[in-house]
Amino acid sequence: MGGRSFCPHCRHKLGFWDLIPVLSFLWLRGRCRYCQERISFQYPLVELTVGILFVLIHLNSATAFLAYVIVPFLIVIFVYDLKHYIIPDKVIYPVIALVLIFNFSAWPSALGAAAFFAAIVLISRGKWMGLGDVKLAFLMGIILGFPNILAALFLAFLAGAIIGIGLIALGRKKMKSEVPFGPFLVTGTLIAMFWGEELINWYLRFYA
């Protein structure tokens, strides 16, 4: 298809009027213009999320221009792992290399986070975590550094526990069901990117 966007149902190439973020979805009422098949809500949700994150990057002086590159990679990892239960190397390795160039000093935090997840993988023999999560934890450490990486990991495990228990309670998952952890790690990373220091300071005030 020459790299052009197309409908996953009828394979018809999409024009620019079909690709206006969120607005095209609303105008077409969630259906393909050409075959009338329903369009997944994934597309407008991702578009809206990316838009909100870019606004937050623009408003947050603590985030460098590199965040504009990091965020799309993280969104791809979030969606891909959620759908396919895997974090592709062709996505994770390039962003790790890119962030290392600009933030090499954060490698100790990256190694610590990766070692923690590697230990979980070894102890559980890959049943609780996968190697993709180890690589993602390494990326998180480079992006966030210390102590923000701690906030991100705490938020990821907290969100994972809450969602996991909720899915089991609703009968959507069983105790031994596989749940991708990448989306929770990405969510924790994004929150820590913008509000990590505030969350840590809020927590430490309880012990002051």
Side-chain angles (χ1 to χ4, degrees):
M1 303 298 287
R4 289 279 301 277
S5 297
F6 57 87
C7 172
H9 302 289
C10 66
R11 315 290 288 184
H12 194 290
K13 291 182 181 180
L14 303 179
F16 75 90
W17 52 84
D18 300 315
L19 299 171
I20 302 173
V22 182
L23 295 180
S24 290
F25 181 85
L26 296 175
W27 177 257
L28 296 172
R29 298 181 180 180
R31 292 184 180 274
C32 172
R33 182 191 302 274
Y34 309 99
C35 67
Q36 297 304 307
E37 287 288 338
R38 288 194 176 277
I39 302 171
S40 171
F41 270 97
Q42 167 194 317
Y43 298 104
L45 286 176
V46 170
E47 293 165 353
L48 184 61
T49 300
V50 172
I52 292 172
L53 289 172
F54 275 15
V55 170
L56 288 173
I57 294 171
H58 179 73
L59 295 176
N60 193 325
S61 59
T63 56
F65 78 95
L66 189 60
Y68 286 102
V69 178
I70 294 172
V71 164
F73 274 100
L74 292 177
I75 294 298
V76 170
I77 291 171
F78 182 106
V79 174
Y80 203 93
D81 194 30
L82 186 64
K83 293 181 65 176
H84 304 290
Y85 290 56
I86 189 172
I87 298 174
D89 289 342
K90 62 182 179 181
V91 175
I92 195 74
Y93 285 144
V95 70
I96 286 176
L98 180 63
V99 180
L100 269 175
I101 294 173
F102 288 90
N103 199 22
F104 185 76
S105 61
W107 68 266
S109 299
L111 286 179
F116 173 68
F117 276 78
I120 295 177
V121 172
L122 291 174
I123 293 172
S124 67
R125 297 181 180 179
K127 294 180 180 179
W128 301 343
M129 299 282 179
L131 290 177
D133 296 319
V134 177
K135 300 168 189 174
L136 181 52
F138 185 84
L139 174 63
M140 292 169 63
I142 308 170
I143 294 173
L144 300 171
F146 185 85
N148 284 355
I149 181 63
L150 298 180
L153 293 177
F154 173 79
L155 291 169
F157 279 99
L158 178 63
I162 293 173
I163 298 298
I165 292 172
L167 290 174
I168 293 172
L170 293 172
R172 301 290 297 274
K173 295 286 184 179
K174 297 181 180 180
M175 286 295 294
K176 294 185 178 180
S177 296
E178 185 179 2
V179 177
F181 197 54
F184 301 111
L185 291 174
V186 169
T187 301
T189 301
L190 292 171
I191 293 175
M193 278 179 62
F194 299 110
W195 303 290
E197 291 184 10
E198 289 82 353
L199 289 171
I200 291 171
N201 291 335
W202 173 80
Y203 179 79
L204 292 177
R205 277 200 293 270
F206 287 99
Y207 298 94

